[in-house]
Amino acid sequence: MMAGMLIYSDKQNIALELLTAARLLKNATGLKINALTVNDDEQASALSGSGADVYKITDDGLSLADANVIAEIVKQAAEKAEADIIFLGSNRRGKELAGRLAQKMGAGCLTDVGGLAIEEGKIEYTRNSLGGATVARQQITTSRQVIALSPHAFEAAGTAAAGNILALDTTRPETAVKLAEIKNRNTGAVDIQNADILVIVGQGVEKEDLAHASAIAKALGGEVACSKPVATDKKWFPEDVIVGLSGKQCRPQLAIIFGVSGQVQFTVGIRDAHTIAAVNNDENAFIFQLADYSMVADSKEVLPGLAKALN
Amino acid sequence: MNIVVAMKQIPDLQQIRIRERKPVLSGVPLTFGLIDKNALEAGIQLKEATGGNLIVVSAGNEEVEETIKEALAVGADEAYLAADNALSDFDSAQNAQILAGLIKKIDDPGIIIFGEGSGDNYSGQVGTRVAEILGLPSVAYVSRITIKDHIATLVRSLEDADEFLEVRLPCIVTVLGDINEPRLPSVTQVLKAGKKRREVFALSDLGIEISASAVSTISELAPISQRKQIALKSLDELLNALQTEGFLRR
Ligand SMILES: Cc1cc2nc3c(=O)[nH]c(=O)nc-3n(C[C@H](O)[C@H](O)[C@H](O)COP(=O)(O)OP(=O)(O)OC[C@H]3O[C@@H](n4cnc5c(N)ncnc54)[C@H](O)[C@@H]3O)c2cc1C
Ligand SMILES: Cc1cc2nc3c(=O)[nH]c(=O)nc-3n(C[C@H](O)[C@H](O)[C@H](O)COP(=O)(O)OP(=O)(O)OC[C@H]3O[C@@H](n4cnc5c(N)ncnc54)[C@H](O)[C@@H]3O)c2cc1C
């Protein structure tokens, strides 16, 4: 017997998306929804402002750095809420938590879930498989389930009649992970998932042409994004503008892609774009299979040329 | 101290063809996921720094006995394997139970290294599930590891921050693909790999009870892609296309 759902993310925007997903299920099944926040009053009021009943934990000694401790607390909150379905965010924190929590609860678990639907009374989830080459439709067969939803897969919940906020006491295990320091990384203000137009650069682009990519993006009213190695190996961009399986799934109106080979782990992040133009000097590049407009050409010529033509 | 690395064999993704939206897996050779190769490299570097013994663990169908040579050639000293054809259909929880069973057979495991996600399914669950089963602390998404006096000093890289952490061994970590650049084996290493110790266990040898699968896959299909597939020959044609699609504001 399923009694309810619990949603938890360390990030407010993701938690609001989880709320939207949980409401889809609530409409179909009548399951009740509770949210959990940990040392985050702002998130508690945002969730309550969107209509969620919130369990709020306030505990100065509690650090998010030990997934075991957080999993224990989420488990206790789930028991309190009589929730069998736990929705987490599929950001790194959420995915790390998912496995621990599922194991503690004896739950089946799916991560990076991009969609859900009710089919013949059963909840069906979609997620990528084989590195993104395929999309799998899956169900959990155990009564308990831990589901981590991809960021941006659902809209954030808007405001609604306020829900209750209830302080929750939990007992936590000793932490075994000592946090010495946190350094925020400069992630820039660019949100490639909300851009209508993306100019995407891969390893077939030279450093001196990046300025042209920016100029093109600026002229079209878009942002610059990149393939993974351009951020992680070359370090030309922060990791939050990576498109793909371990980066972001984007659905822009237009993507112009330069010097990307088009491995599935990349294309999974851009295949939902409305229009795709690709420039690559290898006529057999996989990226062309995904393109509305294919141009076999040197990015060293097209980037400055297009930048000039648009400015 | 034993350094343990978990590696999962997967079909070589580059060689999978899609026919009628279905992946064709027959005849596709098995290899290790790319990130699992980073996990192995991290293990080798720790072995070089601390002088420990490096054991790879892997659970898979019977081909895993062959696939594992790749890891032994690169630098693992021994392998503990669960080889059973039933394993092809196991979910993450069942895999975790088996890996935990294998790791229990190892004396004095110090650090146990996983990839952040497997090469095919990339669910990122198995490492933390194993940690929970074994009652060990764990840190995922690690981009740096050093070990001194039985303490691991780690950096966990989140999307927007790096955390500097300390954990007493034994512990489990899952590593990111950019933690290192995996080395390739030399020809002599490849030749010697076949002689290294491999302990192969049947599932019944592990003395564990494996739960029923919690995940059922209804379908697995390549997404439908409908693209115009128009070839452009010049910059002018590109500009025209952008114009026609309505992306040029002027
Ligand atoms: C688990 C996992 C997750 C991953 N996640 C991601 C992810 O999220 N995002 C991602 O991008 N990758 C990801 N990858 C890596 C992915 O498999 C590819 O390695 C990567 O996408 C390759 O990047 P690239 O196309 O820029 O580089 P390359 O593959 O090196 O391709 C460069 C391309 O540029 C072309 N080129 C070269 N010179 C020129 C020129 N002068 N003009 C025009 N074209 C030129 C070449 O023909 C080639 O096609 C992941 C891998 C794994 C295993
Ligand atoms: C289309 C499809 C979709 C699937 N989806 C799911 C799903 O969503 N949830 C689910 O529970 N199962 C799923 N399965 C089953 C899944 O492929 C297996 O459970 C898989 O072996 C578990 O690995 P993972 O991808 O979850 O591993 P991850 O948790 O992503 O692996 C992390 C790390 O754990 C280690 N590791 C994992 N497995 C092994 C192993 N067998 N031997 C050695 N080291 C290992 C490696 O270091 C790896 O880098 C699916 C199967 C298919 C065919």
Side-chain angles (χ1 to χ4, degrees):
Chain A
M1 231 264 321
M2 289 192 281
M5 300 178 266
L6 181 74
I7 64 175
Y8 168 70
S9 171
D10 61 310
K11 295 276 188 260
Q12 179 173 318
N13 55 334
I14 296 178
L16 289 168
E17 293 168 13
L18 303 183
L19 183 55
T20 300
R23 288 220 168 107
L24 289 175
L25 282 192
K26 185 181 175 181
N27 292 340
T29 61
L31 295 177
K32 73 183 171 81
I33 305 172
N34 282 283
L36 172 69
T37 66
V38 176
N39 289 339
D40 192 341
D41 288 355
E42 197 188 313
Q43 194 193 133
S45 35
L47 283 164
S48 136
S50 293
D53 290 330
V54 184
Y55 286 121
K56 178 173 124 171
I57 292 175
T58 313
D59 176 351
D60 288 340
L62 198 161
S63 126
L64 298 186
D66 189 340
N68 180 43
V69 174
I70 301 298
E72 193 56 49
I73 277 172
V74 176
K75 182 178 168 224
Q76 289 174 32
E79 281 160 7
K80 177 87 186 166
E82 297 180 330
D84 282 339
I85 303 181
I86 319 294
F87 284 119
L88 306 173
S90 216
N91 57 342
R92 286 184 179 170
R93 275 260 202 261
K95 281 181 85 169
E96 177 166 3
L97 174 60
R100 269 280 181 186
L101 179 63
Q103 193 64 38
K104 271 188 208 291
M105 294 181 57
C109 173
L110 301 174
T111 56
D112 290 329
V113 169
L116 58 83
I118 307 275
E119 298 286 343
E120 290 165 19
K122 295 213 168 111
I123 314 170
E124 204 172 280
Y125 301 99
T126 47
R127 66 184 305 278
N128 292 309
S129 185
L130 293 178
T134 55
V135 176
R137 286 164 50 210
Q138 298 179 307
Q139 293 174 351
I140 298 282
T141 52
T142 45
S143 60
R144 292 184 175 151
Q145 28 185 296
V146 172
I147 307 293
L149 301 174
S150 296
H152 285 265
F154 296 86
E155 298 271 324
T159 48
N164 299 314
I165 301 184
L166 222 73
L168 182 69
D169 277 329
T170 47
T171 47
R172 65 179 145 86
E174 273 305 302
T175 180
V177 178
K178 194 174 133 203
L179 177 64
E181 196 187 352
I182 303 186
K183 277 192 198 153
N184 287 327
R185 230 172 310 115
N186 189 0
T187 54
V190 178
D191 181 358
I192 60 169
Q193 282 174 308
N194 279 329
D196 279 338
I197 295 182
L198 286 178
V199 175
I200 306 175
V201 298
Q203 297 210 94
V205 169
E206 312 235 326
K207 192 167 187 191
E208 53 268 26
D209 288 324
L210 295 181
H212 299 306
S214 307
I216 295 167
K218 196 160 170 231
L220 294 172
E223 303 287 355
V224 180
C226 67
S227 69
K228 190 175 180 196
V230 171
T232 56
D233 301 350
K234 298 187 193 270
K235 314 242 182 257
W236 293 347
F237 291 96
E239 288 179 29
D240 57 348
V241 300
I242 297 174
V243 171
L245 184 67
S246 57
K248 305 234 161 110
Q249 322 263 317
C250 304
R251 295 180 190 83
Q253 285 301 308
L254 170 69
I256 313 182
I257 305 173
F258 293 92
V260 174
S261 54
Q263 308 287 340
V264 283
Q265 296 96 348
F266 171 84
T267 58
V268 64
I270 201 67
R271 68 181 173 213
D272 293 332
H274 184 267
T275 302
I276 295 178
V279 178
N280 196 301
N281 65 359
D282 171 4
E283 60 176 322
N284 296 318
F286 289 125
I287 196 72
F288 290 138
Q289 295 175 12
L290 192 80
D292 296 290
Y293 297 99
S294 302
M295 190 167 172
V296 181
D298 193 331
S299 61
K300 286 197 287 291
E301 281 157 24
V302 184
L303 275 166
L306 188 59
K308 189 154 173 257
L310 294 177
N311 283 287
Chain B
M1 173 183 87
N2 283 305
I3 298 162
V4 181
V5 176
M7 298 178 78
K8 174 183 170 186
Q9 65 175 6
I10 59 162
D12 184 345
L13 298 183
Q14 309 268 10
Q15 299 195 39
I16 295 177
R17 295 285 158 266
I18 302 287
R19 199 171 300 143
E20 284 163 5
R21 297 186 63 203
K22 295 205 176 86
V24 180
L25 295 175
S26 70
V28 175
L30 294 170
T31 176
F32 287 115
L34 290 180
I35 300 177
D36 292 3
K37 294 181 185 176
N38 296 107
L40 178 61
E41 176 64 32
I44 297 172
Q45 290 181 11
L46 287 173
K47 171 188 157 74
E48 288 168 350
T50 64
N53 182 53
L54 178 58
I55 303 178
V56 275
V57 294
S58 189
N61 65 16
E62 59 193 18
E63 288 177 60
V64 70
E65 290 186 53
E66 192 58 34
T67 314
I68 201 69
K69 286 186 188 159
E70 198 181 322
L72 292 167
V74 175
D77 298 307
E78 309 172 39
Y80 279 51
L81 306 174
D84 195 314
N85 287 342
L87 263 154
S88 307
D89 299 321
F90 277 14
D91 74 8
S92 308
Q94 294 169 311
N95 269 288
Q97 287 160 350
I98 295 163
L99 290 172
L102 280 176
I103 293 166
K104 277 191 196 147
K105 301 267 180 197
I106 295 172
D107 287 330
D108 186 25
I111 187 159
I112 306 164
I113 309 173
F114 287 73
E116 60 138 313
S118 66
D120 55 352
N121 194 37
Y122 194 61
S123 86
Q125 297 179 35
V126 174
T128 44
R129 278 188 182 268
V130 171
E132 178 64 24
I133 297 170
L134 297 176
L136 293 178
S138 59
V139 176
Y141 303 105
V142 167
S143 58
R144 206 184 310 156
I145 311 174
T146 47
I147 292 179
K148 207 179 151 209
D149 301 335
H150 253 69
I151 306 262
T153 305
L154 307 166
V155 177
R156 174 198 274 133
S157 290
L158 297 170
E159 287 87 350
D160 54 2
D162 289 324
E163 292 181 331
F164 294 75
L165 307 163
E166 280 178 14
V167 186
R168 177 166 289 281
L169 302 184
C171 77
I172 287 188
V173 299
T174 83
V175 298
L176 286 164
D178 45 352
I179 187 172
N180 55 40
E181 198 58 56
R183 70 192 69 185
L184 295 170
S186 68
V187 178
T188 40
Q189 280 178 308
V190 173
L191 293 175
K192 279 189 200 149
K195 299 199 187 73
K196 289 188 174 173
R197 190 166 88 109
R198 274 176 285 177
E199 292 272 2
V200 185
F201 298 90
L203 294 186
S204 53
D205 296 337
L206 293 174
I208 48 172
E209 210 164 305
I210 299 169
S211 59
S213 173
V215 178
S216 95
T217 299
I218 312 298
S219 71
E220 186 192 355
L221 295 172
I224 300 171
S225 152
Q226 279 166 325
R227 294 287 168 188
K228 297 196 184 104
Q229 306 265 5
I230 298 172
L232 303 175
K233 303 229 152 26
S234 65
L235 188 57
D236 281 343
E237 286 189 16
L238 175 57
L239 284 163
N240 272 338
L242 294 177
Q243 179 82 50
T244 320
E245 295 277 354
F247 293 115
L248 299 190
R249 283 180 286 184
R250 280 162 284 169

